[in-house]
Amino acid sequence: MNFSKNNRFAHLLVLLLASLILRFIFARFLGDEWSIEVRIISLFVILGTGAIFVLRGTAKIIEETTEVLSERTKLAGGLLQSFGTAFPDMVLGIIAAIVSVRLRSTDYARAINFAIIAAATTFGSNIYNIGHGVWCIVRQNMANKSGKEYAMFPFIKKSGIVTPMATHKTLPHLSELDAAMDVSIALTLLTALVAVSMVLFGQIKTAPLGIKNDLYQLIRPVGIAVFILSIGTLYYFRKTKRQETPVEEIGKEEHYYRRTSTPAILFNLLLAGAAILFAAIAMVEAIEVFSQITHTPLVIAGVLAGMIGCLGEMIVVHNFTVNPKGRIGDAITGVAMDNIVTILGASLVAIMGGIFLGGNALILIFVIILSCNTLLIWQIAKLKNFFLVPHTRNLPETRPGTLHIRKKIV
């Protein structure tokens, strides 16, 4: 390929190279044989570079290619988006689970530690992801109601400006918002199933030394059931609800990918996945070292690491909210689907025998997730009502790719 004419591909190779350096060079300096200063520097380099550079860069590629692939495959943009952005969550959890399984026969206590990291990272990422999605829709609803522009985060204009939908040229379909609520409800039910099954069937009678609270496991049979249900949910909501984006609404990045063949796009995404994979392996090891050095409980370290895993989806839904191209429906659906894909990853980890949570963590994590799901459904309903009640008269006229709404009344 011609690197001078394909800066995006060159940037992708840089992301992959950075992830390989983190995995095979900096990760070596996390071992006990190195001084505490060297280990701290290494873990900050791994976590910082992995999250800010590698994961953020790959999320941008996913964001730019989702619309093109959705139009070509007729699959929901939120579904395609979720498989890309949820990959870090899945990889972080699965890598931690693999380490846990390998240590099971030699160091059971440490194996449980990695299993707790796997669970806390996997489910903890859902908290950030849904919470940030709720905030984005809250700001959009505020802008719609008042007819004013708002910074995504108060007093931080560089965080992006949310504009009222009355000023948008392209709007989401009602069917997109309906699908977003349906997927969010399915996510709520799957999350509740995981939590209840861990309490009813997964209590560990004899916890290893160092575990003070009751310990619960997502057992293999339930993991298989959750896996099947997650696959079924994603398949059911696989079809796109959007029409093609009007030409004038297409950004220059997407014009580039529209001139790129589907195999080439998929190859780019494969390289992006490899970058995420190698970065995630190094980051999981860094998380354990961080917990050891700072004496932070593993479940808290895992939940903090969840921010790393969900960063890609947070960036995508953020950008789709502050860039009014009618994609907020895809963004919301993507948030819920991302978390279903994360639960899919958790079920794979459970099948491997690698998900454990202490009693207090189990209660807090799942209560927060279910509460955030409820808030998300509430805000989506408010957004949908904006298009149905009389104050929608200031919306632009209907055009291809928009809601079928009444024309503007002067």
Side-chain angles (χ1 to χ4, degrees):
M1 294 186 180
N2 191 330
F3 283 71
S4 62
K5 295 182 180 180
N6 196 347
N7 292 330
R8 286 178 186 79
F9 184 73
H11 178 62
L12 181 55
L13 291 180
V14 171
L15 294 173
L16 180 59
L17 177 62
S19 68
L20 290 171
I21 291 174
L22 294 179
R23 170 66 184 91
F24 295 105
I25 296 180
F26 281 96
R28 292 185 177 182
F29 295 101
L30 295 174
D32 295 334
E33 66 273 17
W34 299 95
S35 67
I36 188 70
E37 293 81 7
V38 170
R39 299 175 75 195
I40 290 176
I41 292 173
S42 298
L43 75 87
F44 274 110
V45 169
I46 290 172
L47 294 177
T49 305
I52 297 173
F53 183 66
V54 178
L55 297 186
R56 186 178 180 183
T58 52
K60 185 65 175 176
I61 294 170
I62 293 165
E63 176 190 341
E64 293 173 356
T65 56
T66 295
E67 180 75 4
V68 180
L69 289 177
S70 178
E71 291 179 5
R72 292 180 183 178
T73 63
K74 304 305 178 184
L75 294 174
L79 175 63
L80 295 170
Q81 168 189 320
S82 67
F83 274 111
T85 55
F87 190 64
D89 300 343
M90 294 178 65
V91 170
L92 286 168
I94 290 173
I95 292 299
I98 290 173
V99 175
S100 174
V101 171
R102 287 179 177 175
L103 292 172
R104 196 66 56 85
S105 59
T106 57
D107 192 341
Y108 186 64
R110 192 160 178 243
I112 295 297
N113 289 344
F114 273 100
I116 292 173
I117 291 175
T121 302
T122 301
F123 294 116
S125 68
N126 287 8
I127 296 173
Y128 300 113
N129 192 11
I130 303 172
H132 180 259
V134 170
W135 178 253
C136 289
I137 308 306
V138 166
R139 299 301 276 180
Q140 183 65 70
N141 285 333
M142 289 175 61
N144 292 346
K145 184 176 180 179
S146 66
K148 300 177 181 178
E149 295 182 349
Y150 288 91
M152 178 61 77
F153 299 106
F155 311 113
I156 307 177
K157 291 185 178 180
K158 290 185 177 180
S159 63
I161 303 299
V162 182
T163 59
M165 283 195 167
T167 66
H168 294 193
K169 294 181 179 179
T170 308
L171 303 172
H173 284 265
L174 281 176
S175 57
E176 289 182 83
L177 302 181
D178 286 335
M181 285 193 285
D182 291 342
V183 175
S184 299
I185 291 169
L187 172 63
T188 299
L189 296 175
L190 284 171
T191 303
L193 173 62
V194 171
V196 171
S197 64
M198 289 181 75
V199 173
L200 293 181
F201 309 114
Q203 185 172 11
I204 303 300
K205 301 300 181 182
T206 305
L209 294 176
I211 304 296
K212 298 179 180 179
N213 300 315
D214 292 335
L215 191 65
Y216 297 89
Q217 180 185 17
L218 183 59
I219 61 175
R220 186 172 286 110
V222 175
I224 294 172
V226 171
F227 177 83
I228 294 171
L229 290 172
S230 298
I231 290 291
T233 302
L234 294 172
Y235 180 79
Y236 183 81
F237 292 104
R238 71 192 184 281
K239 293 295 185 180
T240 184
K241 303 294 183 181
R242 300 188 68 228
Q243 297 179 8
E244 291 189 6
T245 305
V247 174
E248 62 270 25
E249 291 299 313
I250 298 173
K252 62 180 181 179
E253 299 89 355
E254 292 167 27
H255 272 301
Y256 166 79
Y257 281 110
R258 277 177 167 78
R259 297 192 303 267
T260 305
S261 67
T262 299
I265 292 176
L266 294 176
F267 180 66
N268 283 2
L269 291 177
L270 179 64
L271 293 181
I276 292 171
L277 175 63
F278 289 116
I281 294 173
M283 292 165 84
V284 166
E285 295 177 4
I287 292 166
E288 190 200 17
V289 171
F290 173 81
S291 179
Q292 292 175 353
I293 292 176
T294 62
H295 303 290
T296 302
L298 285 164
V299 67
I300 295 178
V303 169
L304 292 175
M307 173 66 79
I308 298 167
C310 71
L311 186 62
E313 178 62 39
M314 292 174 67
I315 292 171
V316 170
V317 70
H318 181 100
N319 290 344
F320 280 4
T321 305
V322 299
N323 298 325
K325 295 181 180 179
R327 297 191 188 170
I328 197 166
D330 263 348
I332 304 167
T333 304
V335 168
M337 282 191 168
D338 180 281
N339 291 330
I340 291 177
V341 174
T342 301
I343 290 179
L344 178 68
S347 67
L348 290 173
V349 174
I351 293 170
M352 296 166 58
I355 275 206
F356 292 84
L357 275 176
N360 294 339
L362 178 70
I363 295 170
L364 289 175
I365 288 176
F366 284 105
V367 165
I368 294 173
I369 291 175
L370 292 172
S371 299
C372 288
N373 284 347
T374 303
L375 291 174
L376 181 62
I377 295 169
W378 173 45
Q379 289 302 313
I380 297 172
K382 290 186 67 174
L383 181 62
K384 181 180 177 181
N385 286 341
F386 173 74
F387 297 101
L388 298 176
V389 296
H391 65 66
T392 61
R393 291 173 181 163
N394 291 325
L395 286 167
E397 296 183 3
T398 287
R399 54 179 293 173
T402 68
L403 273 169
H404 299 292
I405 56 176
R406 60 173 64 85
K407 293 184 178 180
K408 181 178 179 181
I409 299 176
V410 179

